[in-house]
Amino acid sequence: MSNTKVRMAMVGLGFGSEFIAIYQAHPDAEVVAICRRNEDELNKTGDQFGIDKRYTDFDSVLSDPDVDCVHINSPIADHAWMSLKALDAGKHVMCTVPMATTIQECQQICDKVKASGLKYMMAETVVYSREFLFIKDLYESGELGKIQHLAASHPQDMDGWPSYWESMIPMHYATHVVSPCLGLTDALAESVSCFGSGTVREDIAKRSGSPFAVESCHIKLKDSDITAHIWRFLYDVARQYRESFDVYGTKKSFEWTLVENEPHVIHTAKKPEHEIPEKIEIPDFAHLLPEPIQRFTMPAEIHDAEHLSFVQGGGHGGSHPHMVHEFVSAVKEDRDPWPNAPTSANWTCTGICAHESALKGGELVRLPEFA
């Protein structure tokens, strides 16, 4: 594919439509087809972006010989089966988080990727956000010193979202907090211990099968002396939306602001006490991208700013064009994207195993070998 454009099909056009203009502007990609169950909404998107091939049926996308890759943005319950069918059809896959909701599905995707040689990337926004890229620069330059502890939180009120979220278990949608803790040092999770806390209302507990309002987990990093702490909730806790990531090093530490849109804080060791914390502004990292897609790191380029994922998610830290560029480049260069299938499985299974641990009262649960 080194001399041709990567031909994408976008599947799921709510949040997913945000990526169309990025692919269209990317010098090595194009969107050749779109897919959505609702035909009226499908046609609105097709007309808006000038895309002629429009499918309401996923199988029709997979049988289209002009499609090299599918970018899946469907509801979570569809992620695993759609990814598996696409791989069976010989298509490369970019899929929004999480990879799946069972360990078995994660293993099936990993097995198919390994057997086929196709590319799979979980579109995890946090590890391409400007905050993560900033912290990664600090870490790789040595400014943080030795990492001693990592922490991340993702409180979220899902009332008002589509009703299928009522069936979701908090730690089954935990990659936004797992990924930065593991991705900073390119580590994998080895084992977890998680506790449930509080209770959700009866209708949510019945639909999800989980009574917990909050799930709080410690992750043991493989081949490391570091432990990370993450916590997550979806319903019945009063808190503004937050996707936070805190890093504690021997020289410097980074702490996420408690209130959205306020400055983050860097703590520097061995200064006079009142000088240790410093409020900072995070730079943008558009310079890492091809010029035609650099503008998409900015919130002004979000065409549906009222979508709940942006109202709560703060624009995802300018991550979208970085993810697109990573996936397109991986396909063009015939290399694994980051995160690839095994890493995506590790990040996803960390949350699945965490919920298993919570149901067992915090019992240590080891991640599966394949991940």
Side-chain angles (χ1 to χ4, degrees):
M1 238 177 222
S2 59
N3 297 318
T4 60
K5 288 193 174 187
V6 175
R7 300 174 297 181
M8 302 295 306
M10 295 300 303
V11 180
L13 302 177
F15 165 59
S17 63
E18 295 296 334
F19 292 90
I20 294 176
I22 306 174
Y23 282 114
Q24 289 179 325
H26 196 288
D28 293 323
E30 59 183 329
V31 179
V32 297
I34 53 175
C35 179
R36 187 171 186 171
R37 296 178 178 95
N38 184 314
E39 189 168 7
D40 288 340
E41 294 300 319
L42 171 71
N43 286 328
K44 285 180 185 177
T45 302
D47 292 346
Q48 179 181 4
F49 292 100
I51 300 168
D52 294 330
K53 286 192 176 184
R54 307 171 187 184
Y55 298 110
T56 57
D57 175 58
F58 185 57
D59 286 339
S60 298
V61 176
L62 301 184
S63 63
D64 188 335
D66 290 335
V67 172
D68 301 315
C69 318
V70 293
H71 185 155
I72 298 168
N73 290 281
S74 54
I76 289 171
D78 296 331
H79 291 183
W81 74 262
M82 281 188 163
S83 295
L84 290 166
K85 286 196 79 169
L87 291 166
D88 281 338
K91 312 298 185 185
H92 304 290
V93 175
M94 167 103 97
C95 183
T96 192
V97 299
M99 182 184 223
T101 55
T102 70
I103 288 174
Q104 181 183 21
E105 290 168 333
C106 290
Q107 182 164 16
Q108 288 172 342
I109 293 170
C110 287
D111 289 346
K112 284 189 184 294
V113 168
K114 185 176 181 180
S116 66
L118 293 164
K119 313 305 176 192
Y120 174 94
M121 177 179 171
M122 185 173 70
E124 175 49 66
T125 57
V126 173
V127 295
Y128 286 99
S129 68
R130 57 181 64 90
E131 288 88 355
F132 181 85
L133 296 174
F134 173 74
I135 298 168
K136 185 85 167 173
D137 270 1
L138 292 180
Y139 169 67
E140 291 179 345
S141 70
E143 285 191 53
L144 299 178
K146 180 185 181 296
I147 302 299
Q148 301 286 39
H149 183 62
L150 301 154
S153 70
H154 186 186
Q156 185 173 17
D157 181 0
M158 301 305 296
D159 281 321
W161 285 72
S163 60
Y164 66 77
W165 282 98
E166 296 173 3
S167 301
M168 199 69 191
I169 291 164
M171 278 293 171
H172 283 189
Y173 186 68
T175 63
H176 289 334
V177 282
V178 174
S179 61
C181 292
L182 301 181
L184 181 66
T185 61
D186 287 327
L188 297 175
E190 181 179 88
S191 59
V192 296
S193 174
C194 182
F195 286 92
S197 180
T199 53
V200 289
R201 58 189 185 265
E202 186 176 346
D203 61 315
I204 299 296
K206 185 175 181 180
R207 291 197 65 179
S208 68
S210 173
F212 308 125
V214 179
E215 292 187 311
S216 176
C217 174
H218 278 91
I219 307 169
K220 175 67 176 67
L221 275 60
K222 188 175 186 294
D223 300 325
S224 172
D225 61 0
I226 300 172
T227 300
H229 173 241
I230 62 171
W231 60 272
R232 187 81 176 91
F233 67 70
L234 299 174
Y235 292 97
D236 297 339
V237 182
R239 180 62 167 88
Q240 183 189 39
Y241 185 95
R242 187 178 188 234
E243 284 181 27
S244 77
F245 176 41
D246 299 332
V247 184
Y248 297 92
T250 53
K251 296 180 180 178
K252 288 184 178 180
S253 298
F254 174 93
E255 286 188 331
W256 200 278
T257 178
L258 287 171
V259 179
E260 191 171 6
N261 297 322
E262 291 188 358
H264 304 299
V265 178
I266 289 283
H267 297 263
T268 303
K270 311 309 180 189
K271 284 188 171 184
E273 194 68 22
H274 69 283
E275 295 181 9
I276 290 174
E278 177 189 359
K279 293 182 179 180
I280 59 165
E281 295 295 329
I282 305 295
D284 194 39
F285 284 80
H287 65 277
L288 301 178
L289 299 167
E291 190 281 329
I293 65 168
Q294 288 180 2
R295 70 184 189 275
F296 292 103
T297 64
M298 294 290 103
E301 292 296 331
I302 296 170
H303 81 272
D304 183 10
E306 298 305 311
H307 195 282
L308 274 172
S309 65
F310 297 112
V311 172
Q312 292 188 341
H316 299 162
S319 60
H320 295 179
H322 291 282
M323 293 190 300
V324 165
H325 184 57
E326 171 63 10
F327 183 68
V328 170
S329 298
V331 173
K332 292 277 290 183
E333 297 164 13
D334 191 23
R335 62 169 175 83
D336 268 1
W338 189 72
N340 63 8
T343 299
S344 300
N346 184 267
W347 294 355
T348 301
C349 289
T350 296
I352 297 171
C353 291
H355 179 64
E356 180 185 340
S357 172
L359 293 175
K360 296 177 178 178
E363 181 180 314
L364 191 73
V365 175
R366 294 190 175 277
L367 268 75
E369 284 297 321
F370 77 89

